Structures are given as C-alpha cells and as structure tokens.
Amino acid sequence: LTPFSASEDLRSTWQGKAGRSPLQALYESDQFEQSSLQAVHQQRREMLSNVCSRYTRKRRLLRPDDLRHLVVDDAHGLLYCYVPKVACTNWKRVMMVLTGQGKYQDPLGIPAHEAHVPSNLRTLSEYSVPEINSRLRSYLKFLFVREPFERLVSAYRNKFTLSYNTAFHKRYGTKIIRRHRREPSRRALERGDDVRFEEFVYYLLDPRTQQEEPFNEHWERVHSLCHPCVIHYDVVGKYETLAEDADYILQLVGADASVKFPASSKTTRTTDDMTAQFFQDISPFYQRRLFNLYKMDYLLFNYSIPSYLRIR
C-alpha cells in the first residue's frame, strides 16, 4: 500500500456539517459556556505541537498498518486511538454503543472480553488509503494518555502477577526469565509466571527485545501506537481527568445523552505511590535508562519526571 503522510490539510481539526471544527462550534454555540476545560485542551494541543516541532526532524510516512489502534465511528465522525492500560476497555465499550446502531445500550452491559474482539470495532487500517485520508481530515480524533511509569507498572501487574494471564506468562515470562534471571528453576522456565519487576525492566532495556519484534502494545510507548506528531489529535484526554475529558468528547460529537462513560470503581488501580514502591529496587542507572526509553511520552503529554526517581 502506498504510504501517506500527514499533509498540511490534516492539521485542520474535525469539520462539522457546517464546515466548522467542533471546537469552533463549541466556542460559538449558546449551549456551551466558555470553560476552563476548553482552555486545558487547547494547552494540551499546543504542548503536543511544540514538542513535536522541537523533536521530530523528519515527517514520518504512515502506512495503513500503523493505524491498527485507531477505532472508527463513522456514525459520529470519530477516531479513537486506544492505548492499553488507559481505560481502553471502557472506551471500546462506549465505541461499541456509539457504532452499534442500537444493539448495545449500556457500556457496562458489554463483557470486557467482548470489547477486545477485533471484529466488534473497525479500525482505520481496514479502510483504503483515500478513505483513511478522508477520515483523518474530517473526523474528530482523540486519544487518552497516562503517566508513563504508572501505565508501565499497571501493565506489569496485570500481565505478570495475575495467575490467569497464562498466555503472557508463556509468551513473554519464559523468555524474560531465561534471559534475565541467574540460575532459574525448571518450573520458572516452563511457566514464566513469577517475573520480577526488575527482570521486566531488564527485558525492556535489552537491545535484543526490539530487534526481534516490536514491543507488546501494553508497554509500547504512546507515541509509537498513536503517532501524535503525524496525526493531529483534537482532544488529548488524560487518565487523571478521565471522567470530565470523556464527557467533553461525547458532548463534542453529539452523542446521545443516554451514552455515559462508565464511572471508575476499581480499587486495585495502580497509583503513583504504588509505582514508587516498584521503583525502589531499580538502580539509578536503570531508572535513567528506562526514563530515556519513555521520555518522548513524558515530553509530549507534559508529565513531570517522577519525584521518586533517583536520576537527577
């Protein structure tokens, strides 16, 4: 397939029926008041644009295969780039309600595993190049991001410390233990179900890891999944402000008032304090190297260097 780049016209935000962007329409509409939330989203877009212009020298060509994470809602003119461990199960549920033509009413009524069945949602990579360009030009584009190390620890906890994730233990755990544990037991080599966080860090920093295959999407950097320096996102939602950002997006696209983003009730969620505990046993040398690996996500989405890191 012919690669395509983000041409200058892709810089324009989503054009509504009247040829105005939703953000223009928002400013001009009587039903919305000028809000601090609008200013926040403007600042996030500007920060993203500034960092992209500073750090990306060359315009990258995108191929349709790069767009496997962009979920399409043709009914509402919406593109959502999903990032694992950033409320993506609930967002996929909401997208199933939006695209389901009445088949689904309540996002929480959709089982979590259903939300991840590929055939339940179309991604942008499934369209032809002209259809891709047309949607990139005219649809509202959004993604959700999270503090990078908090997301990383969340992925580690979910994929390597829960007994039911046997596919990850076999696929990744056995390799991590074989390469990064001294004198592993036969049981550990066979099952791969007791990977330590420190070993996971060594695996991420091992040059062989990415030479052999791309990172798994659960620990891949957001900028590599969603290409925010090539695709110009209208809304950058944050996990830290999930509820208000989700409501904002649903309002922007004119979703039915009955469609609500599920409220978070998780008590097991990975927090900053919990993340700090995982990094206690990581040496400053490896902390710095890991920070450099995820540095672009910190810069693009305006996250501070975590106070618990010993890299200054």
Side-chain angles (χ1 to χ4, degrees), residues 23-42:
L23 298 162
Q24 277 177 294
L26 187 67
Y27 282 109
E28 294 165 18
S29 168
D30 292 335
Q31 69 193 79
F32 289 99
E33 293 179 0
Q34 287 279 347
S35 73
S36 59
L37 201 53
Q38 292 163 12
V40 164
H41 286 286
Q42 177 69 24

Side-chain angles (χ1 to χ4, degrees), residues 229-240:
C229 290
V230 185
I231 297 168
H232 300 280
Y233 288 92
D234 302 291
V235 181
V236 178
K238 291 204 168 185
Y239 194 71
E240 297 78 13

Side-chain angles (χ1 to χ4, degrees), residues 3-33:
F4 58 88
S5 64
S7 54
E8 290 309 309
D9 55 357
L10 291 189
R11 291 180 179 277
S12 62
T13 53
W14 180 79
Q15 297 296 310
K17 289 187 177 64
R20 296 174 303 165
S21 77
L23 298 162
Q24 277 177 294
L26 187 67
Y27 282 109
E28 294 165 18
S29 168
D30 292 335
Q31 69 193 79
F32 289 99
E33 293 179 0

Side-chain angles (χ1 to χ4, degrees), residues 93-149:
R93 285 167 160 154
V94 169
M95 295 295 282
M96 284 173 71
V97 172
L98 292 175
T99 60
Q101 284 130 11
K103 185 178 172 186
Y104 309 100
Q105 306 296 327
D106 175 21
L108 284 179
I110 302 169
H113 67 87
E114 265 308 283
H116 298 291
V117 173
S119 59
N120 283 335
L121 290 165
R122 287 195 76 183
T123 65
L124 198 56
S125 59
E126 298 170 44
Y127 291 77
S128 70
V129 171
E131 289 172 329
I132 289 169
N133 275 321
S134 163
R135 281 159 179 76
L136 281 172
R137 250 194 306 274
S138 61
Y139 283 14
L140 185 134
K141 300 169 287 294
F142 76 97
L143 78 164
F144 269 77
V145 299
R146 182 178 186 178
E147 202 287 326
F149 281 172

Side-chain angles (χ1 to χ4, degrees), residues 90 146 150 154 157 162 239 263-274:
N90 278 342
R146 182 178 186 178
E150 196 177 289
S154 178
R157 290 178 67 216
L162 300 178
Y239 194 71
S264 178
S265 58
K266 270 197 165 181
T267 51
T268 56
R269 134 176 146 68
T270 303
T271 61
D272 185 64
D273 288 346
M274 198 183 290

Side-chain angles (χ1 to χ4, degrees), residues 69-298:
H69 274 250
L70 275 100
V71 175
V72 182
D73 172 9
D74 282 324
H76 297 88
L78 195 57
L79 291 175
Y80 160 53
C81 188
Y82 72 88
V83 178
K85 308 312 298 175
V86 193
C88 89
T89 302
N90 278 342
W91 262 116
K92 284 183 175 181
R93 285 167 160 154
V94 169
M95 295 295 282
M96 284 173 71
V97 172
L98 292 175
T99 60
Q101 284 130 11
K103 185 178 172 186
Y104 309 100
Q105 306 296 327
D106 175 21
L108 284 179
I110 302 169
H113 67 87
E114 265 308 283
H116 298 291
V117 173
S119 59
N120 283 335
L121 290 165
R122 287 195 76 183
T123 65
L124 198 56
S125 59
E126 298 170 44
Y127 291 77
S128 70
V129 171
E131 289 172 329
I132 289 169
N133 275 321
S134 163
R135 281 159 179 76
L136 281 172
R137 250 194 306 274
S138 61
Y139 283 14
L140 185 134
K141 300 169 287 294
F142 76 97
L143 78 164
F144 269 77
V145 299
R146 182 178 186 178
E147 202 287 326
F149 281 172
E150 196 177 289
R151 175 177 168 247
L152 188 67
V153 168
S154 178
Y156 164 78
R157 290 178 67 216
N158 181 260
K159 299 307 173 191
F160 295 108
T161 71
L162 300 178
S163 58
Y164 62 77
N165 267 323
T166 51
F168 268 80
H169 302 158
K170 285 279 188 195
R171 173 83 175 74
Y172 297 100
T174 53
K175 180 190 279 191
I176 291 170
I177 288 167
R178 188 172 70 251
R179 285 190 174 171
H180 302 290
R181 183 177 298 180
R182 283 183 186 164
E183 299 178 8
S185 68
R186 181 180 291 180
R187 181 196 176 280
L189 285 169
E190 285 174 359
R191 300 179 65 157
D193 61 355
D194 65 344
V195 171
R196 301 171 199 132
F197 183 66
E198 189 176 25
E199 293 166 338
F200 179 52
V201 169
Y202 296 155
Y203 162 77
L204 294 172
L205 295 173
D206 185 341
R208 292 172 294 183
T209 300
Q210 288 191 82
Q211 285 167 8
E212 290 169 357
E213 61 181 341
F215 274 167
N216 179 276
E217 62 178 13
H218 290 84
W219 46 86
E220 180 60 278
R221 285 71 52 97
V222 176
H223 72 270
S224 297
L225 294 175
C226 296
H227 315 289
C229 290
V230 185
I231 297 168
H232 300 280
Y233 288 92
D234 302 291
V235 181
V236 178
K238 291 204 168 185
Y239 194 71
E240 297 78 13
T241 51
L242 178 59
E244 51 264 54
D245 290 349
D247 287 347
Y248 181 69
I249 290 161
L250 292 172
Q251 281 188 324
L252 277 180
V253 296
D256 192 283
S258 64
V259 181
K260 301 288 183 197
F261 189 84
S264 178
S265 58
K266 270 197 165 181
T267 51
T268 56
R269 134 176 146 68
T270 303
T271 61
D272 185 64
D273 288 346
M274 198 183 290
T275 304
Q277 289 172 13
F278 278 88
F279 275 85
Q280 275 180 347
D281 297 327
I282 307 298
S283 72
F285 174 76
Y286 283 107
Q287 286 185 7
R288 177 174 288 285
R289 287 188 61 201
L290 195 68
F291 178 77
N292 285 337
L293 187 63
Y294 288 88
K295 186 176 180 179
M296 273 304 287
D297 281 358
Y298 275 96

